[in-house]
Amino acid sequence: MELPRSTLIFWIFAPPLVIFYLYYTLQLHLLLPQLTGVNLRALLSGALQNAPEGDFGRQPFVRHIVAVGDLHGDLHNARKVLQFSGVIDNFGNWSGDVDFLVQTGDIIDRGDDTIALFDWMDQLRGQAAAVGGTVLSHLGNHEWMNAIEIKTFGSVAERQKLITTGRIGRTWAVNYTTASRLPLHPSLGPPNTPFPPESKHLYHQKENVEFDISHYYDSHMPLSHSAISFVHGGLSPTYQDLTPFPTRINELSDSLLKKLQTRMPLPKPHPPEKYPGLPDGSTQAEQALYDSNGPVWYRGWALDSEEKVCADVEPVLARTGTRRMIMGHTPDFQNIQSRCDGKVIIIDTGISHAYGGILSALSIHYTLTPIGYDKEKRWMEKEVVSALYPDKQEILVVDEREVVGDFSTI
């Protein structure tokens, strides 16, 4: 049987071409290093080693935080805010789209949903923890007022039971703090890791020595202040128990709350009875926690002039290991207030219908992205802070800088 013409041509020319290709390929591998001094294997190996880290080594880190201010007994509006900010889904459950929800206190009073709001926050807390998220809750001045027995919601018996031995009192004792320090990157530790660390011996600086904020920064730790503080009222620049932050404040908060919840007999509510005050045996430091200069009530960051606020803020940020402070308490019924280029942000906008303000939340997107080559250990740190409203988003701060170092995410 005769083979087709095309097949004959293939078998005539193909073998010599294959032999020719293999011969010159071998010559290329043998001669090129000799002619150019280039070791192909070493060249390829070096290219891989020096490739950009985002491609072969470290991975970008992302953290998303949402913070909301005073809710004052309005479950309906609270659900609206957490839904348009991405914290919850259409069914009121944790969405998994954020890493942290921070609520700065004053859940209680004004509206009719105080108990339902506290229960819902605990539900979200459990749902978040199940998927690696976190809810950080704070005691506002209205929570403290009710603990002291200033009557602001419910019947006497109902309120006293709920905030002492009842489920609200138990969750206050376990899940609520007066202050928080939230690191933007996990290399700084979990939330509320104290600053400064004990190794720096900077907890107290003598009053007669001029304050030097450089003592609180370390060139070997470029992310040392990549964190945010949260309180209800504010961290006064003259408050004496600021550090270690937030450990000292929360120790005082825990001890004072325990005294309030366990005193017997419980005082009669005010009004109409006389204001009971703090329990007998409250320490001077516990009393200072609750006075007008303490973190529960302080309003200076909202009410003082821009010049004074900007002059006072840097030492507080330095001492607390943070780059900005966020608080509620003093409402602005128009929008979230950003002062001193976002170093001070007040997020109480009167969310509850009792105030008739606007619905709002604060969004913080943080990224740490590798740049350059592995051996250079260069990263680009970026933080975008936005005010969220039902119909718009307003960017308040965009901070971006290059840092160098090894940043473990463990």
Side-chain angles (χ1 to χ4, degrees):
M1 180 179 178
E2 272 189 25
L3 293 174
R5 180 183 178 89
S6 59
T7 304
L8 288 172
I9 293 174
F10 172 81
W11 284 110
I12 291 172
F13 289 102
L17 289 172
V18 170
I19 294 171
F20 180 81
Y21 169 78
L22 292 175
Y23 173 79
Y24 277 97
T25 300
L26 178 62
Q27 291 298 310
L28 178 66
H29 281 80
L30 291 174
L31 294 176
L32 184 61
Q34 297 177 17
L35 295 174
T36 65
V38 175
N39 185 312
L40 294 179
R41 184 181 297 275
L43 182 64
L44 179 60
S45 176
L48 291 174
Q49 289 178 1
N50 293 318
E53 304 210 26
D55 296 333
F56 296 96
R58 302 165 297 169
Q59 296 299 312
F61 174 80
V62 178
R63 176 162 283 180
H64 183 198
I65 302 163
V66 170
V68 295
D70 305 33
L71 299 176
H72 281 303
D74 193 330
L75 179 61
H76 180 69
N77 280 354
R79 287 173 67 103
K80 283 184 177 180
V81 169
L82 295 195
Q83 187 169 354
F84 73 63
S85 60
V87 176
I88 63 170
D89 60 23
N90 292 335
F91 302 98
N93 296 313
W94 186 263
S95 68
D97 294 334
V98 303
D99 300 300
F100 288 88
L101 167 64
V102 184
Q103 202 282 320
T104 55
D106 276 12
I107 288 177
I108 207 167
D109 294 343
R110 307 301 189 199
D112 300 325
D113 305 323
T114 283
I115 296 173
L117 266 171
F118 280 117
D119 289 343
W120 185 47
M121 283 295 156
D122 280 345
Q123 175 187 318
L124 291 179
R125 195 185 323 280
Q127 292 175 347
V131 294
T134 302
V135 175
L136 295 178
S137 300
H138 298 81
L139 296 171
N141 63 301
H142 279 256
E143 279 80 28
W144 283 106
M145 288 162 64
N146 278 270
I148 292 170
E149 287 305 315
I150 299 175
K151 183 181 184 298
T152 53
F153 89 95
S155 68
V156 174
E158 176 191 37
R159 186 184 71 258
Q160 287 185 334
K161 181 178 180 181
L162 281 172
I163 66 178
T164 54
T165 60
R167 65 181 184 276
I168 292 179
R170 291 194 298 270
T171 196
W172 285 2
V174 174
N175 297 315
Y176 285 68
T177 63
T178 292
S180 289
R181 177 177 179 259
L182 178 51
L184 294 171
H185 191 270
S187 64
L188 298 181
N192 296 335
T193 297
F195 185 92
E198 293 184 11
S199 60
K200 292 188 74 68
H201 304 293
L202 291 171
Y203 289 170
H204 302 287
Q205 192 170 16
K206 294 181 180 179
E207 293 183 4
N208 60 346
V209 177
E210 185 176 353
F211 185 81
D212 183 358
I213 66 174
S214 67
H215 289 302
Y216 292 88
Y217 293 88
D218 187 340
S219 60
H220 299 293
M221 297 180 63
L223 297 186
S224 65
H225 286 63
S226 295
I228 300 173
S229 72
F230 295 90
V231 295
H232 179 67
L235 300 173
S236 166
T238 59
Y239 180 63
Q240 295 299 305
D241 286 299
L242 192 60
T243 59
F245 181 79
T247 311
R248 177 58 178 163
I249 290 174
N250 290 335
E251 287 173 349
L252 295 170
S253 174
D254 290 346
S255 63
L256 180 58
L257 182 63
K258 184 175 181 180
K259 290 175 181 178
L260 287 166
Q261 290 181 326
T262 58
R263 59 183 169 173
M264 289 296 172
L266 290 172
K268 295 180 180 180
H270 167 79
E273 303 296 333
K274 181 181 177 181
Y275 172 60
L278 298 180
D280 293 338
S282 298
T283 67
Q284 185 175 355
E286 289 168 343
Q287 294 172 26
L289 177 82
Y290 187 70
D291 73 19
S292 61
N293 195 53
V296 176
W297 284 98
Y298 184 69
R299 296 185 189 269
W301 300 117
L303 301 180
D304 287 343
S305 69
E306 190 78 359
E307 181 180 7
K308 177 170 172 46
V309 167
C310 294
D312 288 343
V313 69
E314 292 294 351
V316 177
L317 296 177
R319 294 174 63 196
T320 56
T322 57
R323 62 171 48 158
R324 67 187 85 257
M325 56 177 74
I326 296 171
M327 65 215 73
H329 188 45
T330 305
D332 183 294
F333 300 125
Q334 301 300 317
N335 54 275
I336 287 174
Q337 290 293 309
S338 175
R339 310 194 69 182
C340 302
D341 298 321
K343 293 175 182 176
V344 175
I345 303 178
I346 303 106
I347 62 173
D348 181 6
T349 59
I351 288 173
S352 174
H353 68 273
Y355 288 101
I358 62 168
L359 307 186
S360 68
L362 191 75
S363 172
I364 302 163
H365 281 274
Y366 176 85
T367 57
L368 189 67
T369 306
I371 57 176
Y373 300 102
D374 281 343
K375 62 184 179 181
E376 294 175 330
K377 303 177 182 179
R378 296 165 55 216
W379 302 77
M380 185 61 66
E381 184 188 39
K382 186 175 183 179
E383 183 185 359
V384 180
V385 183
S386 304
L388 306 180
Y389 305 101
D391 58 348
K392 64 179 180 178
Q393 174 180 348
E394 178 187 354
I395 296 178
L396 304 177
V397 181
V398 178
D399 281 343
E400 192 170 16
R401 64 173 183 147
E402 183 178 322
V403 295
V404 177
D406 289 318
F407 305 115
S408 171
T409 59
I410 298 176

